[in-house]
Amino acid sequence: MKRIFLFACLFLMFIPVMSQDITTVDRPKLVVGIIVDQMRYDYLTRFYNRYGEDGFKRLLREGYNFENAHFNYVPTVTAVGHASVYTGTSGSGHGIIANDWYDKFERKMIYCVDDFNFEALGTELEYEQKAPTRLLATTLTDELRLSQNMRGRTIAMGLKDRSAVLPGGHTSNGSYWFVGKDEGKFITSTFYMDELPKWVSNFNKDGIAEKVFKNEWETLYPISSYIESIDDDNPYEGLFIGEEKPVFPHELKKLRKENGNFDLLKESPYGNTLLIEFAKSAIKGEKLGKGDFTDFLAISFSSPDLIGHMYGPDSKEIEDTYLRLDKDIAELLNYLDKNIGEENYTLFLTADHAVLPVPAYLSSLKIPAGYFDYPKFRSYIDELTNKLYGANNLVENISNNQIFFDKTRLSVLGLRASEVAERLCEEIINYPGVNKVVTAKTMQNTNFDRGILHHVQNGYNQKLSGDIVMVPNPATIYVRETGTTHGSGYSYDTHVPIIFFGKGIKKGRSRERVEIIDIAPTMSNLLQISFPNSYTGKVLSEALK
């Protein structure tokens, strides 16, 4: 009996010690995920001295900044970027392999978030039936809702449909995107709900888009002070319809009619301001951060991408866009402080891709750069297959730097796709502008652990991708000679910001290489929830308290 009594006493004494080791989950009331479409990391450093104290500088000063953050896949485009940030994996895992891609089963091009089983809500425009159907993996936002038995709320928003649909995941309470033309309002689809919430309808009825749409886009500060960008009048930038020169001021009121009316709003910094106003309305209308469970607000600023495509990263338009976005970020942080509380929210800021300087501008500086002529390349492929196999219709589609064979035609001719691919690769590698070319078989049977082919492999999806994958030369794109684009695995497209800020986040910075797919597992760990089901990233523990 004495032994039993002694054991009982020791056991009771041990209970408090055990309870002290149990982790208490102390989640923020609200998580805010910000993606800036087409933001290079060096926009933080180039324009640093021009920023105010309460926007980007505050995030850098009070948050944790990863200075060497990169995408680890191609193509670096909007849909894949948003999907990768929120799933913690690349296209090989989540199934979004481009903005639009060739479906070799349906034998046609498809768009990443189209789903015609649902209807658009809030618009009379066609082709707005959207859903996350093609996203194969769960997202950070899905896992947060699942972990709380669906009691927290997720709201996602962007000017582009794909920028709202993919971050919201499969369980979003509402993903909203902006339609232009003559409508100028935020909409959604019946995938999420049967009718628009009152706060969204009121926002649209109040004409906020018209209120933030200025008559003229002039520089925020005297243009002579914009010394981080090239001359305003230069031959490397695009033009709005009705303009003769790509220079300030851009007379938006006069240009609206010929440039899609409210679509022009998206191509100016005022699109960012509109999104801030919509985010504030969402926080109020959905009572985000006010309940017993953690809510999520996903925001995607699309205007920098549209502006960057037209003018390039060295333009005064981009410099002005980021000086204005800095003020918008400060406005959002101030609103969160007042309405959620500084200690009640956690925020991360990143980008879906970066961008290449205009190749024609690089060429003027004697830096190797150029343009890839896809129609000419298609003719070359037809001539090549006719020469090798006596047929010029073996290729069904060429898109996203991938070649898809007509498998029916190959079968009729008694040809094996893998052998034809291997033979064509031997020839294509000699084509001007091509840096590397590999077959589907190589992608499936070889492990590339570094370099550009490692990026290609991470973006390659065995079921969805093509029979041949090409890599253009550095600084080589396929668009017109004014403006620029993105999509490669080179550093100018992969190097972007990753900043964590708020509750549970340390102050500091790191120069070690990290990857965009690390955001979702890091946030999952902070929230103490299950990681997205296909994640391949790692927890950036140095940023967490």
Side-chain angles (χ1 to χ4, degrees):
M1 283 295 293
K2 287 183 178 180
R3 289 183 180 179
I4 295 174
F5 177 75
L6 221 84
F7 178 78
C9 289
L10 288 170
F11 179 74
L12 290 171
M13 290 172 60
F14 189 62
I15 287 177
V17 177
M18 291 176 62
S19 65
Q20 290 173 8
D21 291 337
I22 297 174
T23 301
T24 301
V25 179
D26 184 21
R27 297 188 181 114
K29 289 289 187 179
L30 178 67
V31 178
V32 180
I34 296 177
I35 294 181
V36 182
D37 201 332
Q38 201 188 110
M39 184 176 183
R40 293 164 55 109
Y41 178 82
D42 67 345
Y43 291 162
L44 289 175
T45 55
R46 279 173 55 194
F47 309 139
Y48 183 84
N49 291 332
R50 308 296 306 280
Y51 291 143
E53 294 299 318
D54 300 325
F56 289 123
K57 279 187 177 180
R58 181 182 173 193
L59 294 179
L60 294 171
R61 182 175 65 249
E62 300 178 19
Y64 200 97
N65 177 31
F66 289 92
E67 300 176 352
N68 191 20
H70 290 264
F71 288 88
N72 67 331
Y73 61 80
V74 292
T76 43
V77 295
T78 298
V80 192
H82 283 74
S84 298
V85 167
Y86 280 89
T87 62
T89 190
S90 57
S92 61
H94 57 59
I96 303 297
I97 61 171
N99 290 334
D100 48 18
W101 64 90
Y102 187 70
D103 188 315
K104 53 191 176 185
F105 303 102
E106 296 185 23
R107 303 181 80 167
K108 66 178 183 180
M109 293 296 293
I110 59 174
Y111 180 61
C112 57
V113 293
D114 274 347
D115 191 332
F116 301 112
N117 294 307
F118 301 95
E119 298 299 322
L121 281 179
T123 180
E124 298 299 321
L125 296 176
E126 295 182 326
Y127 312 118
E128 292 297 335
Q129 300 109 306
K130 311 298 178 185
T133 313
R134 292 190 170 95
L135 181 64
L136 302 179
T138 62
T139 59
L140 168 64
T141 47
D142 287 330
E143 296 296 344
L144 179 58
R145 293 211 70 213
L146 288 168
S147 72
Q148 302 177 113
N149 199 23
M150 310 303 286
R151 289 173 290 186
R153 298 188 66 74
T154 291
I155 301 296
M157 60 184 64
L159 299 185
K160 297 178 182 178
D161 48 33
R162 56 188 179 269
S163 303
V165 170
L166 297 169
H170 307 274
T171 61
S172 172
N173 297 97
S175 291
Y176 304 97
W177 57 96
F178 184 75
V179 293
K181 303 293 189 290
D182 294 329
E183 295 196 357
K185 53 190 179 182
F186 284 92
I187 68 167
T188 188
S189 85
T190 54
F191 175 85
Y192 303 101
M193 62 193 72
D194 295 325
E195 61 181 3
L196 285 176
K198 186 176 181 180
W199 69 267
V200 178
S201 296
N202 288 343
F203 186 92
N204 290 332
K205 288 177 183 177
D206 288 344
I208 307 299
E210 188 64 57
K211 293 176 182 177
V212 303
F213 201 166
K214 305 300 182 184
N215 291 332
E216 184 176 84
W217 177 13
E218 182 56 279
T219 53
L220 184 62
Y221 305 111
I223 197 168
S224 60
S225 68
Y226 284 55
I227 60 174
E228 301 301 332
S229 44
I230 61 177
D231 291 342
D232 194 26
D233 189 5
N234 65 73
Y236 312 115
E237 300 174 5
L239 297 168
F240 290 121
I241 298 172
E243 283 188 323
E244 294 182 0
K245 292 183 178 181
V247 297
F248 282 105
H250 298 287
E251 299 179 355
L252 303 180
K253 184 177 181 180
K254 293 181 180 179
L255 297 169
R256 284 180 64 166
K257 185 176 180 180
E258 289 188 278
N259 291 273
N261 199 359
F262 281 103
D263 284 335
L264 187 59
L265 174 63
K266 296 187 287 186
E267 298 183 69
S268 77
Y270 309 119
N272 297 330
T273 304
L274 174 65
L275 203 62
I276 290 293
E277 293 304 312
F278 192 63
K280 288 157 62 176
S281 293
I283 292 169
K284 183 178 180 180
E286 297 285 347
K287 296 181 174 58
L288 299 181
K290 298 297 185 181
D292 296 328
F293 301 94
T294 300
D295 299 320
F296 200 110
L297 176 63
I299 306 173
S300 177
F301 293 101
S302 305
S303 290
D305 180 68
L306 300 173
I307 296 165
H309 275 292
M310 178 172 284
Y311 298 104
D314 299 291
S315 64
K316 294 199 183 318
E317 283 78 4
I318 278 293
E319 184 169 354
D320 192 66
T321 294
Y322 277 87
L323 296 181
R324 291 177 180 275
L325 180 58
D326 177 59
K327 290 183 174 296
D328 289 328
I329 296 293
E331 171 70 16
L332 177 63
L333 294 177
N334 182 56
Y335 187 86
L336 291 170
D337 290 346
K338 289 182 178 179
N339 292 274
I340 308 299
E342 289 187 47
E343 296 301 319
N344 291 327
Y345 70 92
T346 305
L347 178 150
F348 66 82
L349 182 145
T350 188
D352 56 350
H353 53 75
V355 73
L356 168 70
V358 178
Y361 171 60
L362 293 178
S363 294
S364 74
L365 301 175
K366 300 181 182 180
I367 297 173
Y371 298 88
F372 193 88
D373 189 330
Y374 259 95
K376 185 177 180 180
F377 179 74
R378 178 60 195 252
S379 297
Y380 162 77
I381 290 296
D382 287 342
E383 292 173 5
L384 181 60
T385 55
N386 193 51
K387 171 186 172 183
L388 296 176
Y389 301 105
N392 62 0
N393 54 358
L394 300 184
V395 170
E396 200 165 73
N397 178 270
I398 302 177
S399 56
N400 296 311
N401 293 323
Q402 297 185 31
I403 297 174
F404 295 81
F405 292 151
D406 183 335
K407 300 299 173 54
T408 302
R409 183 63 177 160
L410 291 182
S411 179
V412 169
L413 296 175
L415 298 172
R416 292 170 58 90
S418 59
E419 294 174 356
V420 174
E422 197 67 45
R423 183 69 184 88
L424 291 184
C425 283
E426 294 174 358
E427 300 292 334
I428 293 172
I429 190 61
N430 299 313
Y431 191 82
V434 174
N435 187 11
K436 297 183 186 297
V437 57
V438 291
T439 67
K441 185 177 181 179
T442 298
M443 286 286 98
Q444 296 165 26
N445 293 283
T446 305
N447 180 42
F448 298 99
D449 60 1
R450 61 184 302 176
I452 200 73
L453 290 180
H454 174 66
H455 289 57
V456 171
Q457 193 163 47
N458 285 335
Y460 177 86
N461 187 289
Q462 182 177 1
K463 186 171 183 177
L464 304 175
S465 298
D467 299 285
I468 293 175
V469 184
M470 300 182 298
V471 179
N473 285 340
T476 299
I477 61 175
Y478 55 87
V479 295
R480 61 190 185 278
E481 293 192 13
T482 59
T484 187
T485 194
H486 48 83
S488 79
Y490 297 112
S491 61
Y492 50 75
D493 281 339
T494 67
H495 191 194
V496 298
I498 294 181
I499 305 173
F500 294 97
F501 172 89
K503 185 179 178 67
I505 302 299
K506 293 178 182 176
K507 297 179 183 180
R509 64 175 184 168
S510 170
R511 296 186 176 94
E512 297 299 315
R513 180 185 172 100
V514 299
E515 296 176 339
I516 208 75
I517 59 173
D518 299 333
I519 293 174
T522 300
M523 289 303 301
S524 296
N525 183 260
L526 181 144
L527 296 168
Q528 290 292 289
I529 61 175
S530 293
F531 291 10
N533 62 18
S534 296
Y535 89 98
T536 52
K538 63 181 183 297
V539 174
L540 301 175
S541 57
E542 57 266 51
L544 305 180
K545 288 183 179 177

